[in-house]
Amino acid sequence: MNILQKLSEAIQQGDDRLAASATQKAIEQQLQAAEILNNGLIAGMDIIGQRFRDMEIFLPDVLMAARAMHAGMDVLKPLLLQAGVESRGKIILGTVKGDLHDIGKNLVAIMLKGAGFEIFDLGVDVEAGRFIDAAVKEKASIIGLSALLTTTMPAMKEIIDLLKERGLSDQIKIIVGGAPLSQESANTMGANSYAKDAASAVETIKAMMV
Ligand code: B1M
C-alpha cells in the first residue's frame, strides 16, 4: 500500500493520528500538496461519503473521518499556505444557515490565504445578514458562500436577494460553491460566480477582482 492509499485508509478509519503521520510521511516523500490533498485526504472522504449514502456506515463514523481529515489538513496547511505578502483584497467566507459542513470551506480559506487574500471566516450556520454586515464593516467586495446540503442551497439565494434589497449588489459580489451546486444552480440563484473546488475558487476570485 503506498502512502496516499494509507492516508485515504486513515480517513476512512477515522484515525486522526494515522492521518497526521501519513500526511507527514507523504510530505517527506516530496509528494506535491495538491496530490496529497486530492489523492489521499479527499479520496478517503469521498469513499466515506459513498458509504454513508449507501448506509454502510453512520454519522459517528463520518464525524470521526472529518476529525481525521482536519488532522491531515493541519499538517498540510503550511504547504498550501505559500503566503503572498501583499493583501490582494478582503473576502468574507462562511457556510450558510442550517449547514454545519466546514471542511471544504476551510480548504477554500486556506488556498485563498495562500494566494494572498485576507479572509474573514464567519464559520458555519451563518445567518444571511451576518455575511452582508461583515462585508460592509470590512469593506470587502466579495462574499464566498459554501453549502453541502441540497436543503441549505436556498439560503444562498436568500443572501443574494438580501444584498439586492439593501442596494449593495453592485459593490459586493457573491461566489458560491459546495458539492450539490453547479454553474447552472449558481446562475439560477443569481450568484456572480461559481467554483467547483478550492483551486478554481482562487482563480475565479482573482478574475472577479479585476
Ligand atoms: Co454530511 N452530508 N451530513 N456530514 N457529509 C454530505 C454532504 C452528503 C452528500 C452525504 C451523503 O449522503 N452521501 C449528504 C448531503 C445530501 C444532500 O443534501 N445532497 C450529507 C448529509 C445528509 C448530512 C446530514 C443531514 C446527516 C444527518 O444528520 N442525517 C448532516 C447535516 C448536518 C448539517 O449540516 N446541518 C450531516 C453531517 C455531517 C457531519 C457533521 C458528520 C460531517 C461534517 C463535518 C465537518 O464538515 N466539520 C459530514 C461530512 C464529513 C460529509 C461528507 C461525507 C464529506 C464532506 C466533506 O467534507 N468533503 C459528505 C459526502 C461528500 O461530500 N462526499 C456529506 C470533503 C471536502 C474537501 O469537500 O466539502 O465538497 P467539499 O468541498 C469542496 C467543494 O465542494 C468546493 O471546494 C471544496 C474543496 O475542493 N467548495 C467550494 C466547498 N465550498 C466552497 C465554496 C466556494 C467554492 C468552492 O466558494 C465560496
Side-chain angles (χ1 to χ4, degrees):
M1 194 188 290
N2 72 28
I3 195 64
L4 293 181
Q5 287 164 334
K6 203 168 173 183
L7 180 51
S8 166
E9 279 290 327
I11 302 297
Q12 292 170 55
Q13 288 161 14
D15 187 332
D16 53 349
R17 282 195 195 174
L18 188 59
S21 66
T23 305
Q24 185 58 42
K25 280 213 182 82
I27 294 171
E28 282 160 14
Q29 289 183 13
Q30 315 271 310
L31 297 181
Q32 295 290 312
E35 203 183 344
I36 302 172
L37 181 66
N38 294 323
N39 301 337
L41 293 166
I42 292 182
M45 196 48 110
D46 279 348
I47 294 172
I48 284 288
Q50 287 155 23
R51 298 186 63 206
F52 181 54
R53 188 194 54 219
D54 297 342
M55 289 193 286
E56 289 171 17
I57 58 169
F58 300 98
L59 212 52
D61 307 298
V62 184
L63 268 174
M64 285 176 68
R67 198 179 58 182
M69 178 95 184
H70 276 127
M73 272 163 59
D74 281 347
V75 177
L76 199 59
K77 204 169 166 179
L79 258 78
L80 295 170
L81 275 177
Q82 294 145 351
V85 198
E86 226 174 287
S87 173
R88 281 178 184 254
K90 293 180 178 180
I91 296 169
I92 309 296
L93 195 63
T95 304
V96 298
K97 180 81 192 142
D99 201 320
L100 302 175
H101 296 84
D102 68 355
I103 297 173
K105 184 261 302 162
N106 292 347
L107 261 178
V108 172
I110 291 171
M111 305 283 261
L112 284 170
K113 276 184 202 160
F117 291 97
E118 201 176 337
I119 305 302
F120 296 84
D121 187 345
L122 305 184
V124 297
D125 190 20
V126 181
E127 293 275 358
R130 278 191 59 210
F131 283 104
I132 299 173
D133 293 345
V136 170
K137 177 168 177 257
E138 299 301 337
K139 298 192 174 59
S141 57
I142 294 185
I143 298 177
L145 304 174
S146 181
L148 262 287
L149 300 170
T150 41
T151 50
T152 55
M153 282 168 57
M156 293 175 145
K157 183 165 176 349
E158 241 176 71
I159 297 160
I160 293 165
D161 290 345
L162 190 61
L163 197 63
K164 277 189 202 139
E165 250 174 68
R166 295 199 189 170
L168 291 167
S169 39
D170 282 343
Q171 293 114 281
I172 302 171
K173 305 284 174 224
I174 304 259
I175 175 169
V176 295
L181 281 113
S182 61
Q183 184 64 58
E184 199 187 349
S185 55
N187 292 345
T188 308
M189 66 176 72
N192 300 96
S193 299
Y194 159 76
K196 76 170 184 352
D197 56 30
S200 25
V202 173
E203 291 316 310
T204 308
I205 287 177
K206 278 184 191 165
M208 288 167 85
M209 286 285 189
V210 176

